[in-house]
Amino acid sequence: MKDFYELAQRRQSCRNFKDKAVDGELLVRCVKAASLAPSACNSQPWKFVIVTNDEKRGALAKLVQEIGLNKWAEAAPAFIVVAEEAAPVLMPIVVEHYDSKRYSEGDVGMATAYLILEAAEQGLGCCIIGTFNDADVKALLGLPEGDTVRAVVALGYAADESVRQKKRKDVSEIAKIID
């Protein structure tokens, strides 16, 4: 295994892709990595739809541009749509006291993080997109009405492989140590 910190520093949002298809096995590997993410009561409240078909990919690219953003998405050779299941299975005592929805969004977020880190490990560029109409994406991909699309991840080979310097808050601004 490579150094995780190095991988986290190398991973960045990619909005400029080479005109090169991504091997389906690499995309499945990203989903397998996502499936290893932790989830409350091991509920695994996620679904992933890999989109490489030209017609569906083009339609999905249009849906993530609905407010004028993400014009670059048309060049993405693949998408993985991340959805949250309508009713994840949790231990009854947890649901009784805390409500199941409290955990699902975080669980799906962690799975998405695993997915994009695996993509970076495989040499793929990716960008998480959150601007889309949930109902339209579900209709395009045949997802159940009760599910919620949380992210559309564009994937491909980066046209520019240089790593940009990240601008992040200093750790002293975001962490507090209580002795």
Side-chain angles (χ1 to χ4, degrees), residues 138-166:
K138 287 190 294 195
L140 175 68
L141 303 176
L143 291 169
E145 187 68 29
D147 288 358
T148 303
V149 177
R150 293 291 178 199
V152 175
V153 182
L155 296 109
Y157 295 96
D160 177 3
E161 296 180 21
S162 62
V163 178
R164 299 180 302 274
Q165 183 171 346
K166 292 186 186 280

Side-chain angles (χ1 to χ4, degrees), residues 120-131:
E121 178 68 17
Q122 297 304 318
L124 297 173
C126 64
C127 186
I128 301 170
I129 304 169
T131 54

Side-chain angles (χ1 to χ4, degrees), residues 89-129:
V89 179
L90 295 175
M91 294 173 17
I93 192 167
V94 173
V95 174
E96 179 183 326
H97 288 278
Y98 302 110
D99 184 24
S100 64
K101 287 294 183 184
R102 181 176 175 164
Y103 303 101
S104 296
E105 288 181 21
D107 294 347
V108 171
M110 287 185 283
T112 304
Y114 276 41
L115 187 152
I116 64 171
L117 287 167
E118 180 60 28
E121 178 68 17
Q122 297 304 318
L124 297 173
C126 64
C127 186
I128 301 170
I129 304 169

Side-chain angles (χ1 to χ4, degrees), residues 7-117:
L7 176 64
Q9 285 185 311
R10 187 170 36 105
R11 205 247 27 112
Q12 61 190 358
S13 293
C14 175
R15 294 176 182 88
N16 189 8
F17 298 98
K18 291 180 183 176
D19 184 16
K20 178 180 177 185
V22 178
D23 186 314
E25 288 183 31
L26 290 181
L27 299 170
V28 170
R29 185 173 172 96
C30 291
V31 171
K32 284 182 179 179
S35 76
L36 297 173
S39 64
C41 301
N42 198 30
S43 62
Q44 303 173 57
W46 44 65
K47 291 181 183 172
F48 305 92
V49 180
I50 299 170
V51 182
T52 57
N53 168 279
D54 285 342
E55 183 180 324
K56 293 281 188 188
R57 189 175 50 79
L60 187 55
K62 293 277 189 245
L63 291 177
V64 302
Q65 295 177 46
E66 73 178 358
I67 61 171
L69 298 175
N70 308 318
K71 297 286 186 204
W72 53 267
E74 292 178 14
F79 292 102
I80 299 178
V81 175
V82 182
E84 177 185 332
E85 288 185 326
V89 179
L90 295 175
M91 294 173 17
I93 192 167
V94 173
V95 174
E96 179 183 326
H97 288 278
Y98 302 110
D99 184 24
S100 64
K101 287 294 183 184
R102 181 176 175 164
Y103 303 101
S104 296
E105 288 181 21
D107 294 347
V108 171
M110 287 185 283
T112 304
Y114 276 41
L115 187 152
I116 64 171
L117 287 167

